[in-house]
């Protein structure tokens, strides 16, 4: 049998309930006052919300620098079929503007057909939503690509921008520089977090595919290609110091030729893999970048990046000749590298001087031993001694008179900075290519300074 509680107890419970209800009512009626009375509750609430929000813990890179557009001159012409507008100076003729517009139109049609897309829309900053290219006085610079800032409406990170091209250019240089400017603007819209060196290098390679000229001012670009000791893609410090990244487009061409026979699809797909969305924070997500995308993609095909770089070291010398390993390599212009050494077989032994300038990441030092009329099975010995803290790759390749590879022997990359190779020269060997590659000790990143430049020395004997 249940016994009812005393009346005084019931009244006490009712009083407690009424008091609790009054407290809750005052809480919801004036939460600011209640929170203010509890010291630290605001900070606690912010920390709780922040802890429940996903955060990017990887690398971050700054946004591209936003640059103001040139002052409007009133002289411009727009495309009938493409979203493009060309702005001139006050004294620009209608014919000149039309000539430039035709070049941009051709570039837009060709790149869109190859799956690259178009530059991001600028929201009318140039007087319309069209892509804007300005003619101005830039001197020897050729062209500039500038950012308007990050767009808020796309799902993935994207910057709109505009191009400025030197107004005095004419003929082949005009076509190449305008094409490169448009192509680099497409890269800016694809991934503003990617290093500027990758954008300019990719634009140089695409310009070669579209026009036959390797980037803006081809002669200067190919002179840079000859400096094979420079890094495959220059880092931000070297670019800030004035190094042009356009010659690095040659490395992109070699890689694209090896993977897809030079149709441009490999580097296009790599750019698509780098695209991302920065959902919080001020700076952009810095990974995955192109080096990561390339390494991962090669890994799916059971290839290691150092193995590919080793193959490209030979392709770099043979590119543009009938002895090149692929059709894509043969389509590239042939560029003789700056040699570490060049010697006749009869003059051996030879102790070549220490490599100077030093070899940067994925750069090569080349030596050539001329062996005409040397009997088959003659022995050739090569010693390499490099500096510490990077991995070195040594490869020896006998070639015939037409620069066709007969065979090759390699000492794979390793931390020990010494390698020795001995080869018995096959019949019909006309010359022997010796390539030494700095494989660094980590995956490169063009967004951070690369301090892995090192030197080496070679000894060649019979």
């Amino acid at each position: 049998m249940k016994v009812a509680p005393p009346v005084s107890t019931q009244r006490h419970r009712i009083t407690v309930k009424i008091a609790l209800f009054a407290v809750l009512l005052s809480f919801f009626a004036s939460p600011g006052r209640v929170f203010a009375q509890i010291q630290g509750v605001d900070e606690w609430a912010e920390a709780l919300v922040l802890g429940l929000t996903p955060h990017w813990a990887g690398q971050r890179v700054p946004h591209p620098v936003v640059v103001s557009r040139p002052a409007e001159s009133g002289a411009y012409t727009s495309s009938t079929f493409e979203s493009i507008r060309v702005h001139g100076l006050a004294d620009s003729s209608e014919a000149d503007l039309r000539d430039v517009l035709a070049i941009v139109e051709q570039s837009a049609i060709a790149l869109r057909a190859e799956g690259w897309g178009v530059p991001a829309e600028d929201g009318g900053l140039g007087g319309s939503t069209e892509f804007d290219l300005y003619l101005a006085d830039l001197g020897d610079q050729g062209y500039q690509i500038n950012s308007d800032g990050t767009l808020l409406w796309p799902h993935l990170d994207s910057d709109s921008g505009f191009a400025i091209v030197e107004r005095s250019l004419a003929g082949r240089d005009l076509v190449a520089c305008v094409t490169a400017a448009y192509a680099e603007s497409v890269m800016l819209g694809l991934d503003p977090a990617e290093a500027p060196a990758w954008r300019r290098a990719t634009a140089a390679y695409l310009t070669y595919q579209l026009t036959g000229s390797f980037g803006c001012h081809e002669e200067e670009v190919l002179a840079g290609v000859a400096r094979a000791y420079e890094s495959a893609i220059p880092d931000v410090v070297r670019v800030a110091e004035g190094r042009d990244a356009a010659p690095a487009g040659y490395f992109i061409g070699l890689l694209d030729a090896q993977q897809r026979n030079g149709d441009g699809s490999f580097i296009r797909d790599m750019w698509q893999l780098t695209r991302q969305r920065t959902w919080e924070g001020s700076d952009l997500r810095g990974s995955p970048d192109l080096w990561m995308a390339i390494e991962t993609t090669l890994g799916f095909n059971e290839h290691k990046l150092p193995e590919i770089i080793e193959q490209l070291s030979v392709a770099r010398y043979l590119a543009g000749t009938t002895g090149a390993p692929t059709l894509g390599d043969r389509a590239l212009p042939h560029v003789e590298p700056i040699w570490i050494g060049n010697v006749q077989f009869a003059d051996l032994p030879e102790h070549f001087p220490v490599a100077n300038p030093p070899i940067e990441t994925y750069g090569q030092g080349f030596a050539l031993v001329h062996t005409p009329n040397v009997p088959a099975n003659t022995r050739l010995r090569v010693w390499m001694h490099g500096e510490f803290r990077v991995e070195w790759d040594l490869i020896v390749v006998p070639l015939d008179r037409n620069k066709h590879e007969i065979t090759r022997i390699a000492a794979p990359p390793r931390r020990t900075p010494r390698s020795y190779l001995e080869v018995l020269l096959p019949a019909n060997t006309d010359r022997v290519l010796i390539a030494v590659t700095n494989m660094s000790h980590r995956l490169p990143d063009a967004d951070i300074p690369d301090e892995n430049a090192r030197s080496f020395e070679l000894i060649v004997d019979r």
Side-chain angles (χ1 to χ4, degrees), residues 217-245:
H217 299 317
E218 181 184 43
E219 185 176 346
E220 297 176 12
V221 174
L222 295 183
V225 173
R227 297 190 291 271
Y229 53 82
E230 294 183 347
S231 56
I233 303 293
D235 62 38
V236 289
V237 173
R238 291 178 171 88
V239 171
E241 291 173 348
R243 180 180 298 183
D244 186 9

Side-chain angles (χ1 to χ4, degrees), residues 81-82 105 107-118 182:
F81 307 104
E82 300 291 329
E105 287 177 329
S107 302
I109 294 170
L111 289 177
R112 189 171 61 250
E114 294 298 326
W116 283 95
V118 297
Y182 182 83

Side-chain angles (χ1 to χ4, degrees), residues 142-184:
Y143 76 90
Q144 288 180 357
I145 299 301
N146 298 304
S147 170
D148 295 317
T150 300
L151 300 178
L152 300 179
W153 53 86
H155 178 67
L156 299 176
D157 294 341
S158 181
D159 271 28
S160 70
F162 59 95
I164 305 177
V165 176
E166 166 58 39
R167 62 180 298 196
S168 65
L169 294 172
R172 182 181 175 91
D173 280 343
L174 176 64
V175 174
C177 292
V178 169
T179 302
Y182 182 83
E184 192 169 338

Side-chain angles (χ1 to χ4, degrees), residues 219-298:
E219 185 176 346
E220 297 176 12
V221 174
L222 295 183
V225 173
R227 297 190 291 271
Y229 53 82
E230 294 183 347
S231 56
I233 303 293
D235 62 38
V236 289
V237 173
R238 291 178 171 88
V239 171
E241 291 173 348
R243 180 180 298 183
D244 186 9
Y250 201 81
F251 167 78
I252 294 176
L254 293 171
L255 184 61
D256 196 68
Q258 185 198 66
Q259 297 298 313
R260 303 281 177 82
N261 215 17
D263 63 4
S265 63
F266 181 77
I267 188 62
R268 179 202 64 204
D269 292 348
M270 296 304 100
W271 271 94
Q272 291 295 334
L273 287 176
T274 67
R275 305 194 69 189
Q276 57 215 308
R277 177 172 179 252
T278 302
W279 65 84
E280 47 76 38
S282 57
D283 287 340
L284 296 169
R285 288 179 52 176
S287 63
D289 61 14
L290 278 167
W291 279 121
M292 294 177 181
I294 291 169
E295 181 186 48
T296 303
T297 301
L298 294 176

